[in-house]
Amino acid sequence: MKPRKIKEDVYWVGAIDWDRRLFDELIPLPDGTSYNAYLVKGDEKTALIDTVDPTMADVLIDNLKQLGVKNIDYVVANHAEQDHSGALPQVLRQYPDAKVVVTAKCKNLLMNMLLIHQNRIMTVEDGESLSLGGKTLEFIHAPWVHWPETMFAYLREDGILFTCDLFGSHFATSDLYVTDEAAVYEAAKRYYAEIMMPFRKVIERNLEKIKDLQINMVAPSHGPLYDKPEFILEAYRDWIYAPPKNIVVLPYVSMHGSTKKMVEYFVGALVERGLTVKQFNLAKTDIGKLAIALVDAATIVVGSPTVLAGPHPNVVYAVYLANALRPKLKFASIIGSYGWGGRMVEQITGMLSNLKVELLEPVVIKGFPKEESFRALDRLADQILNKHKEQKLIK
Amino acid sequence: MTKWRCTVCGYIYNPDEGDPESGVKPGTPFEELTDDWICPICGATKDQFERVE
């Protein structure tokens, strides 16, 4: 790719990683990703906003060369994580006069994680600004989106808010701006679910902090830019503030078919009662799809067989993630089966401590489901329906 | 002074130590932390802490 002009003297100089399929050795990237870096040239000073993943440092350096950048005064590091700050060492070698502009917490992280010398780093307070001559960067401390050191940079004259990971999407595209809203919505929601959802309450505060800014454009560090900022702001408001929806998420594993039979019957019973169900076979699913479903769901019902006296390890993995992601869930239950005994229910409920959910009576049966098992599932479906009605999730 | 535990990650806020990295001086009781103070380990908000008896 080549540098892309955004506004007069403002350029995208990042890298598109079309082929990456896994992040943090954990998160699937079905659409690849990008690492967005931006160059802002003032009359007197030049600033680079964020860098790129260290594997693509040469792409960034080449973009800067193509633009004829001889000197960089400031490198704003909104976030210390390696996919944005990992190319700092190369950039600082290439541009020996450049200072890294960060929050105090970010300074500490960059010195420890990327071994950047403290003499190359200057810290800025919340609300502080930096004049480049005709272009002014204002810094807004925005902690915990999604690390403690994060901040935004706001280019006042052009009304561009550089939000780093907040509002981002893992979405490789040659389009500078969002063109396919449906595709970007799914990618941005996946990103929110996996990265931002645990910090929902803190994001509320950060949204409050930026609400009076004149934002003409949101420029995140992953995925296309938002030249219509309301698209992503509205989506975030829905994901964060709106009550959960009339949805039951049903992640499950079945080893020999008993739990599967229960899941099939139970999904039918829920649908018959007017609930939306999202079913995921944990042996096969993209875990990101499960995370997306958790953004809006009111209820989670976990389906598990019993293996070595506890839940199936894939169920443990999914429940651990659901608990760590801290979605808006209100209710939880467990269905499944065992051969001769075990502590599957206790182990699963013990892993849900972060979720402020009401636990509904589990249906865990011995062996293959029988008539009374199906009646118990009917009763659980009735109970979920009533709870959703009480919460006014059903009109 | 009373210590408080984060219900998400288990971090203990010890008033004798404060949270200097977030600008909270040693000797600051939990009750005097501002409402926007956040667990320094996991990002939980202040209302997710419980008193350690």
Side-chain angles (χ1 to χ4, degrees):
Chain A
M1 284 294 286
K2 292 185 173 295
R4 312 284 290 270
K5 185 175 174 177
I6 298 170
K7 296 266 176 172
E8 203 56 41
D9 292 326
V10 184
Y11 296 87
W12 177 91
V13 289
I16 299 178
D17 203 341
W18 296 92
D19 300 332
R20 191 166 181 178
R21 285 294 173 271
L22 198 61
F23 198 87
D24 290 346
E25 305 297 46
L26 171 67
I27 297 172
L29 303 180
D31 305 304
T33 191
S34 65
Y35 318 108
N36 299 332
Y38 302 95
L39 187 79
V40 181
K41 286 159 70 175
D43 298 332
E44 293 144 26
K45 307 274 189 186
T46 298
L48 177 67
I49 299 176
D50 294 319
T51 72
V52 297
D53 194 85
T55 56
M56 301 188 93
D58 54 335
V59 177
L60 169 63
I61 301 281
D62 187 55
N63 280 339
L64 294 170
K65 282 183 183 161
Q66 287 188 51
L67 285 173
V69 178
K70 298 275 188 300
N71 184 57
I72 288 177
D73 301 281
Y74 306 111
V75 185
V76 176
N78 283 325
H79 178 24
E81 196 172 2
Q82 287 81 349
D83 53 331
H84 308 296
S85 287
L88 275 175
Q90 289 93 324
V91 169
L92 294 179
R93 263 201 304 278
Q94 190 75 27
Y95 296 97
D97 296 330
K99 287 260 189 198
V100 185
V101 179
V102 293
T103 63
K105 281 197 177 176
C106 191
K107 176 179 180 178
N108 177 289
L109 292 178
L110 290 180
M111 288 168 62
N112 278 290
M113 297 194 311
L114 294 167
L115 311 181
I116 292 173
H117 195 277
Q118 59 176 340
N119 291 347
R120 299 297 302 267
I121 304 177
M122 60 181 268
T123 59
V124 284
E125 297 297 322
D126 187 22
E128 204 172 323
S129 59
L130 204 54
S131 175
L132 308 176
K135 300 265 190 204
T136 314
L137 287 174
E138 292 178 15
F139 303 103
I140 301 158
H141 285 202
W144 288 106
V145 292
H146 57 122
W147 281 13
E149 86 298 6
T150 44
M151 70 171 180
F152 306 147
Y154 176 63
L155 178 53
R156 175 154 290 283
E157 288 77 4
D158 296 294
I160 303 176
L161 187 64
F162 299 93
T163 55
C164 203
D165 277 346
L166 189 70
F167 306 132
S169 63
H170 285 309
F171 194 76
T173 167
S174 62
D175 297 334
L176 187 58
Y177 303 106
V178 175
T179 48
D180 183 344
E181 286 199 345
V184 175
Y185 184 90
E186 164 103 3
K189 190 170 185 178
R190 175 187 284 265
Y191 193 91
Y192 167 81
E194 293 167 337
I195 312 285
M196 295 296 165
M197 189 155 64
F199 310 107
R200 236 173 343 117
K201 291 185 174 181
V202 188
I203 297 173
E204 282 186 27
R205 292 176 195 166
N206 290 324
L207 291 180
E208 191 65 20
K209 267 180 119 167
I210 60 171
K211 78 174 177 8
D212 294 329
L213 290 180
Q214 171 65 41
I215 302 172
N216 300 330
M217 193 183 296
V218 167
S221 57
H222 294 290
L225 285 70
Y226 304 95
D227 53 352
K228 300 181 189 76
E230 197 50 31
F231 164 69
I232 193 68
L233 290 169
E234 180 58 37
Y236 262 71
R237 284 194 287 265
D238 179 48
W239 300 334
I240 290 171
Y241 297 109
K245 299 183 171 66
N246 181 31
I247 297 171
V248 178
V249 172
L250 212 170
Y252 80 99
V253 176
S254 185
M255 290 158 66
H256 301 297
S258 299
T259 302
K260 171 105 175 138
K261 186 79 188 164
M262 294 177 76
V263 166
E264 282 171 359
Y265 182 85
F266 190 55
V267 169
L270 290 168
V271 171
E272 203 172 49
R273 286 162 175 79
L275 291 100
T276 298
V277 184
K278 297 188 177 176
Q279 174 188 324
F280 300 93
N281 180 345
L282 295 169
K284 296 173 181 166
T285 193
D286 163 356
I287 205 78
K289 287 276 188 188
L290 172 62
I292 293 172
L294 288 171
V295 171
D296 306 310
T299 299
I300 185 170
V301 177
V302 178
S304 181
T306 304
V307 52
L308 297 172
H312 190 284
N314 285 8
V315 169
V316 173
Y317 176 64
V319 171
Y320 176 87
L321 265 186
N323 186 59
L325 294 176
R326 294 180 247 164
K328 298 179 210 170
L329 291 166
K330 297 262 185 207
F331 309 102
S333 192
I334 300 161
I335 63 175
S337 58
Y338 59 89
W340 49 90
R343 290 176 48 78
M344 188 255 282
V345 167
E346 293 85 341
Q347 290 190 20
I348 292 176
T349 51
M351 292 174 64
L352 294 174
S353 59
N354 285 348
L355 306 177
K356 307 289 179 248
V357 289
E358 180 183 344
L359 188 69
L360 309 178
E361 184 65 30
V363 180
V364 178
I365 61 156
K366 186 174 170 72
F368 200 76
K370 303 156 193 80
E371 193 49 36
E372 71 261 26
S373 320
F374 297 124
R375 296 297 78 79
L377 290 170
D378 282 332
R379 287 194 293 278
L380 179 57
D382 280 335
Q383 209 186 355
I384 294 172
L385 172 67
N386 288 335
K387 292 290 178 185
H388 283 206
K389 277 184 181 163
E390 281 170 24
Q391 293 282 328
K392 301 193 182 357
L393 306 180
I394 301 172
K395 289 184 185 81
Chain B
M1 277 190 284
T2 313
K3 295 177 183 172
W4 288 67
R5 181 192 296 113
C6 175
T7 58
V8 175
C9 72
Y11 164 82
I12 304 272
Y13 176 78
N14 181 349
D16 295 337
E17 293 169 7
D19 177 15
E21 279 206 19
S22 304
V24 177
K25 293 196 183 85
T28 308
F30 184 81
E31 294 79 358
E32 286 179 21
L33 296 172
T34 54
D35 285 342
D36 61 358
W37 180 80
I38 294 166
C39 173
I41 301 300
C42 75
T45 44
K46 200 181 161 188
D47 57 352
Q48 289 169 285
F49 276 67
E50 62 185 17
R51 187 187 284 269
V52 180
E53 300 298 344

